Amino acid sequence: MDKNYINNKLDDLQYQLNKKYNSLIEERIIAVNNEVLIDFCDQFFKKTKGQTENSTIELLPFYDWFIRNYSVKPLMSSSKPLQKGTAKTYRNAYNILKRFNDTVYRVRYDKINYEFYNDYLNWLYQQEYSTNYVGTQIKILKTIMIASHELGHHNNTECRKKYFKKPTEEIDHIFLGIEELERIKKLDFSDFKTVKTESGVFITKDKMDRARDLFLISANTGLRVSDFNKLEKDNIITVENKKYFQLTTKKNNKPITIPINSTIIEILKKWNGELPQKMPEQHINYALKIIGEKAGIDTLVKITRTTGGIKETEEYKKHQLITNHTGRRSFCTNAYLTGMAAIDIMAISGHSSERVFYNYIKANNLQRAMKISENKFFS
């Protein structure tokens, strides 16, 4: 090989290595040691350390394969493919791990250990991701590691240890009480002027009306947006003069039957027996902020989140926090506060355990105490 070529290559390596070293020192993402620098040299020379057999797929290639394969084929765990939204979340997580791989150090099966766990967490927090979003990255990585282990690609079981846990933080999500929902129900949009959002979406009078009614259906059934936004007349059945929604939920493929109350009956009459025409989810969210403001839902709410490892508390007007999912939380919480049995609410909401369900209920301590006080024990 030409001597000049080798010398130029080594000069380039020295320059790039110094640049990488200074960058790591400045960013303080991880401790700079021989292993990190050796990894960088391996990347520089495009080595494929650790790959000996074609049948063994390293972590990132397997991660990519997992998403593509199980987007169309059934998972071993659930016997059905990844939902479209789940596949998107996995792809985002893959891209984040690949960015870490390309900018910090190479990620291989044998690198997934306590040191990597701390390095990756620190790096994720430096990207200013929220605690729960960081937790999602760890949770999905564990899923990928376990799946690749079961398929015989490695023998690393570090991710099953207690330290390799998913960071989580309870966020004070809002719900709307019955009185607030009634104010939304009574809104008149006859004089509403079209609004253009910062994202360039036009919210018309018709969109406001449909978004309001779709949201009220969620707040009176507990359905997710992926379900209430696709309801049709065929989903309505009548048994002994009582109407019900009957459908199979999109997220967990569960058949459910939900009684239709008077609020939804009024909505059906308004739309001549049909359901409101579905809307893009983000358009509903845009409309709901305006709807909440028009309804005077402006109680000040403090929300504490940890972003980039820093805990911050911000104050919002309540209508600023209303989203599609607020309807579902409102149903579960209001049903609980009015005395509906948790097991019956869970049959509609699809929660698989009471622990998860009670975390979902957004009633405060006083509201819960008032409900508990109705028990004959306190009479």
Side-chain angles (χ1 to χ4, degrees), residues 167-186:
T168 185
E169 177 181 46
E170 181 64 24
I171 301 296
D172 297 323
H173 294 290
I174 65 163
F175 80 99
L176 299 186
I178 293 174
E179 187 272 333
E180 291 171 316
L181 292 171
E182 191 64 23
R183 275 190 268 162
I184 287 177
K185 178 181 171 182
K186 291 178 178 178

Side-chain angles (χ1 to χ4, degrees), residues 232-275:
E232 297 179 351
K233 192 174 182 178
D234 290 345
N235 292 115
I236 301 173
I237 64 170
T238 303
V239 179
E240 296 181 358
N241 295 320
K242 176 69 178 177
K243 293 185 181 296
Y244 302 83
F245 283 128
Q246 197 168 63
L247 67 149
T248 299
T249 59
K250 182 176 180 180
K251 182 174 182 178
N252 47 29
N253 205 36
K254 286 185 177 181
I256 59 173
T257 303
I258 308 171
I260 294 176
N261 67 8
S262 58
T263 294
I264 300 177
I265 292 294
E266 289 179 32
I267 292 172
L268 291 172
K269 287 180 180 178
K270 171 181 169 182
W271 297 95
N272 299 317
E274 302 287 341
L275 276 300

Side-chain angles (χ1 to χ4, degrees), residues 63-75:
Y63 204 144
D64 178 63
W65 172 86
F66 182 96
I67 299 167
R68 289 184 288 104
N69 184 65
Y70 293 119
S71 291
V72 293
K73 296 180 181 178
L75 288 155

